Amino acid sequence: MTIERLPQKHYPKAEIGRRGMALGLDFLGVWLVSSLLGGGDIGIQFVQILVFIILWLVLRVLVVYNNQGQSLGRWAFDLKVLEVEDGEVMGRIPDLLSLVKRETIIGLGALLVSIALSNIRANPTAILLVLPLAIDCGTALSDAQMRQALHDRYCGTFIVSSRRGYSLDIKIKRLVENMRQNVRR
C-alpha cells in the first residue's frame, strides 16, 4: 500500500493593491478613532498610542479570528488570511498566537505611521517613521511565488482572495466607469 499525496487546493493570490487598500482601510479606522481621543498637543500622546494598540489588536486579531480570517478592510476588499505550513497553504485560519505575532509586527509599523502623521507639521523628518512598514510590506513585491511580506513569512500566514466580502474595489471601479460614461454623453 502506498500513501498518495492529494493535490493542494488552489488559493488565488491576493493582489498587492487590494492588500494595501485593505490595510489602509483598517489603519484609517483605527487611526481616526485613536486621533479623536488624543489631545491637540503636538508630540507623542500615550493615551492615543494605547487606544491605537488596543483597537488594532481587536480589529486585526479578535475580529479576524472570529470572522473567517477577515478584518473590516479584508472583508471590504474580498481578502482573508490563511495559515501556511511548509510552503503550502493549509486552508485554515491561523491560530490566535500566530495572529497576535503577525499583527504585533505590522501594528508596530502602523503605529509608527500614526505617530508620523500626528507629528508631520512640527517635524517633517517624522516621515521616516513610514520606512519600517514600507520595508515590511514591500517585501511582498519581491516574492513572486507567494507574495508574502516579512510578517507573513515570520508567522506562517498568507493572504488570499475570497468570495466572501463587500467587493469595494469592484464597486468603486464600476462607479468611476459609470461617471466617465455620463461625462462623455
Side-chain angles (χ1 to χ4, degrees):
M1 179 189 306
T2 61
I3 298 176
E4 188 176 318
R5 182 172 233 185
L6 294 174
Q8 179 184 357
K9 184 177 176 185
H10 174 70
Y11 293 98
K13 295 179 214 173
E15 299 167 12
I16 299 294
R18 286 174 57 205
R19 288 178 66 175
M21 289 186 286
L23 175 63
L25 184 62
D26 287 340
F27 172 78
L28 186 65
V30 171
W31 180 64
L32 285 175
V33 172
S34 68
S35 293
L36 292 175
L37 298 176
D41 301 333
I42 295 175
I44 298 174
Q45 303 290 322
F46 292 106
V47 173
Q48 186 176 355
I49 290 172
L50 183 63
V51 170
F52 186 93
I53 291 169
I54 291 169
L55 287 175
W56 187 265
L57 289 176
V58 166
L59 179 66
R60 301 278 296 198
V61 175
L62 294 179
V63 171
V64 169
Y65 190 71
N66 292 316
N67 193 27
Q68 301 176 18
Q70 293 181 312
S71 64
L72 177 66
R74 287 193 208 110
W75 175 79
F77 291 98
D78 299 332
L79 302 171
K80 70 194 251 179
V81 63
L82 295 177
E83 186 175 340
V84 173
E85 200 172 279
D86 297 327
E88 293 184 23
V89 181
M90 301 310 295
R92 62 179 177 253
I93 299 166
D95 62 345
L96 198 57
L97 182 61
S98 293
L99 284 174
V100 168
K101 287 192 296 187
R102 179 184 196 278
E103 294 307 328
T104 298
I105 295 168
I106 197 164
L108 179 62
L111 179 62
L112 292 174
V113 170
S114 173
I115 292 170
L117 291 175
S118 299
N119 295 305
I120 196 77
R121 285 184 310 185
N123 185 3
T125 59
I127 197 69
L128 294 175
L129 293 174
V130 174
L131 285 177
L133 184 65
I135 291 169
D136 177 28
C137 295
T139 56
L141 293 171
S142 66
D143 184 9
Q145 183 180 2
M146 295 282 286
R147 290 191 189 141
Q148 286 181 302
L150 287 177
H151 59 271
D152 288 320
R153 292 178 192 174
Y154 178 73
C155 298
T157 57
F158 183 67
I159 303 291
V160 298
S161 293
S162 170
R163 291 188 182 137
R164 178 183 177 266
Y166 186 69
S167 305
L168 184 61
D169 56 328
I170 296 170
K171 291 180 181 182
I172 290 174
K173 286 178 186 176
R174 285 183 191 153
L175 179 67
V176 169
E177 185 59 36
N178 287 339
M179 288 173 48
R180 283 183 184 167
Q181 288 176 356
N182 290 337
V183 169
R184 289 179 189 156
R185 290 182 193 173

